[in-house]
Amino acid sequence: MSKYCIFCGNKPQEKSREHIIPQWLIELTGDPKRDAFFGYHKPGTKGEGVRKYPFKHFTFPACVTCNTNYGRLESEVKPVVEKILDETTLSSEDMSMFLEWIDKVRIGLWLGMQQLDKNYLDVDVNFHIDKRIGQYDRLLIIQKTDRISPRINFGATDTPAFSYTPSVFAFSINNYNFISVSSAFLFSRRIGFPYLKEMILSPDSDEFSGELVNGIKRVMKPLIRRAIPNNGVIVYQPQFRNGMLRTEDELSEYNCDYVRTHALDYQKGDGNIFCEKNGVLNEYGSNDEINDLQGLPVNDDYQLSIKSIIEAHKWQNWLHTQLPDMKLLTLEQKKFVKSRFALATRVNNLWINKLEEML
Ligand SMILES: [Zn+2]
């Protein structure tokens, strides 16, 4: 796997190295030479116990062209992260870019962890950053803490759940904690966008299919039928780039006034930004200013940092309860899929118990 470009999945013509955790972020969050924690050594890999080494060694092969393209996103997102930390007003476009970058980090971490773990769970690594970035509805919980010293930290990335589907992870940048959740049609129906009537797992791959139907063309609250504990802001952005539905015709359900009105970039397939704070849902379109991130309540850092990681594990478990229909699968395949997610849920529950003891 290490021979392939982390962005496009091809063998690089001209090789370069991509830092999954960019240099600018490492510098923004402490001593650039410090050791970082990358989960635990897995059976069959070199070493035992905790995996620790400097961030700069966490690099992966990439084509020069891909690296240059994504380098642009890195340089554009840096000032956005600084704005968040400084509590300066963001534009909708800034927030959309931040969510895009989080997609990149989440998929990059997934590929990176698979490589470190030597893919011990035998997961089909069937997509790279290009294929997953911005494809699915995305949600981000943002919370602030009273932390003074800088840091960067990632949570819920060393679990079988994350290995099977990199849909949820927690991370901290200095005194901010984030939980990122991204999954196909996560809230498209309740936000009024087209959605899949029935999501059906394909017997030949990890992909799914289904009949795309017209949206209900209004917002139904709550956007997700799961209580989301937070005392910060929840950001939602519906996505309809839908790599799985490629033809114009298949995407025609999106060609309506409702989607156009609620799209930040219709051509690209990005929806508007929705922010939920104190139970109030605000929508932000093109060039709108987002002020919801200002004056967030300040939480105890120790408590919140543990709670965020617990919450990320719970989100992973919740997604295991929302699996697509398996009617096209053979009995054997059904058993296999179910046993995988049962294992992932079990491991997560062990982690949740362990973390709760620390509170
Ligand atoms: Zn490439």
Side-chain angles (χ1 to χ4, degrees):
M1 179 167 73
S2 60
K3 289 188 288 238
Y4 302 100
C5 168
I6 193 162
F7 298 111
C8 67
N10 298 323
K11 236 179 172 164
Q13 298 286 345
E14 241 187 304
K15 246 195 203 176
S16 67
R17 307 290 297 176
E18 157 71 5
H19 289 82
I20 307 270
I21 317 298
Q23 202 61 28
W24 63 264
L25 186 62
I26 299 165
E27 284 164 16
L28 188 75
T29 51
D31 176 0
K33 291 196 185 110
R34 71 197 188 272
D35 269 352
F37 169 60
F38 291 97
Y40 293 88
H41 285 286
K42 302 297 182 303
T45 62
K46 266 191 206 155
E48 261 178 65
V50 171
R51 218 159 29 196
K52 258 182 154 179
Y53 50 85
F55 278 115
K56 66 169 190 221
H57 293 165
F58 198 47
T59 62
F60 296 90
C63 314
V64 171
T65 348
C66 288
N67 216 339
T68 313
N69 285 341
Y70 281 95
R72 221 167 293 142
L73 173 63
E74 289 294 344
S75 54
E76 283 171 3
V77 82
K78 183 184 172 213
V80 175
V81 171
E82 287 166 345
K83 278 187 201 175
I84 293 172
L85 299 180
D86 293 343
E87 298 196 40
T88 316
T89 302
L90 296 181
S91 67
S92 308
E93 285 77 7
D94 286 340
M95 181 58 87
S96 183
M97 193 194 299
F98 183 51
L99 297 176
E100 185 87 354
W101 176 77
I102 293 170
D103 278 351
K104 170 181 181 267
V105 173
R106 200 182 54 251
I107 308 305
L109 279 172
W110 176 72
L111 290 165
M113 295 301 272
Q114 301 289 11
Q115 190 167 311
L116 287 180
D117 291 342
K118 304 248 183 281
N119 194 4
Y120 77 117
L121 292 170
D122 193 25
V123 175
D124 185 12
V125 184
N126 58 357
F127 55 82
H128 289 76
I129 291 175
D130 270 356
K131 206 177 157 194
R132 265 302 275 277
I133 195 164
Q135 293 298 319
Y136 296 159
D137 286 355
R138 43 202 188 193
L139 175 152
L140 181 70
I141 302 169
I142 307 177
Q143 297 174 101
K144 197 180 167 184
T145 81
D146 59 3
R147 189 179 180 91
I148 295 163
S149 53
R151 60 128 173 233
I152 181 160
N153 187 41
F154 299 97
T157 52
D158 196 29
T159 62
F162 190 74
S163 293
Y164 293 140
T165 39
S167 306
V168 182
F169 78 128
F171 64 103
S172 330
I173 301 177
N174 297 347
N175 58 331
Y176 279 83
N177 280 358
F178 304 89
I179 299 170
S180 149
V181 182
S182 173
S183 189
F185 301 97
L186 183 61
F187 45 80
S188 36
R189 190 175 81 85
R190 297 181 72 88
I191 218 159
F193 275 44
Y195 60 96
L196 285 192
K197 205 166 151 193
E198 196 182 17
M199 213 186 270
I200 304 164
L201 203 60
S202 152
D204 318 308
S205 67
D206 286 345
E207 314 258 317
F208 53 83
S209 59
E211 187 197 342
L212 190 74
V213 294
N214 286 320
I216 51 173
K217 299 190 168 77
R218 64 184 168 86
V219 171
M220 232 197 297
K221 277 174 56 172
L223 287 182
I224 292 185
R225 292 169 77 187
R226 174 187 185 275
I228 307 179
N230 91 96
N231 40 2
V233 177
I234 311 168
V235 182
Y236 304 85
Q237 188 181 30
Q239 290 295 109
F240 52 102
R241 285 180 224 176
N242 289 353
M244 47 171 271
L245 305 162
R246 288 179 204 284
T247 64
E248 271 305 296
D249 189 42
E250 279 173 311
L251 286 169
S252 61
E253 279 76 7
Y254 289 95
N255 190 5
C256 62
D257 283 347
Y258 184 84
V259 173
R260 286 177 185 274
T261 313
H262 298 277
L264 191 59
D265 187 335
Y266 178 79
Q267 291 307 329
K268 198 172 166 195
D270 290 350
N272 274 344
I273 301 288
F274 294 75
C275 290
E276 189 179 335
K277 189 180 180 183
N278 300 327
V280 179
L281 189 69
N282 291 314
E283 180 176 359
Y284 300 96
S286 190
N287 290 316
D288 282 348
E289 288 189 347
I290 302 175
N291 293 310
D292 300 69
L293 270 65
Q294 286 158 2
L296 294 185
V298 179
N299 301 275
D300 178 83
D301 185 65
Y302 176 81
Q303 291 281 326
L304 186 78
S305 301
I306 295 171
K307 282 183 186 163
S308 297
I309 297 177
I310 293 175
E311 183 60 15
H313 284 87
K314 288 186 176 171
W315 271 104
Q316 289 178 341
N317 281 355
W318 182 75
L319 285 178
H320 298 161
T321 67
Q322 312 284 312
L323 291 180
D325 197 299
M326 292 193 250
K327 63 184 177 192
L328 298 182
L329 271 57
T330 63
L331 205 59
E332 197 94 333
Q333 285 174 320
K334 275 183 204 163
K335 263 193 194 159
F336 176 71
V337 174
K338 280 186 186 161
S339 70
R340 271 192 159 186
F341 287 104
L343 166 80
T345 302
R346 225 165 32 238
V347 173
N348 270 3
N349 286 337
L350 289 174
W351 275 114
I352 292 168
N353 288 341
K354 230 176 169 167
L355 289 159
E356 278 175 346
E357 281 169 16
M358 291 164 69
L359 289 173

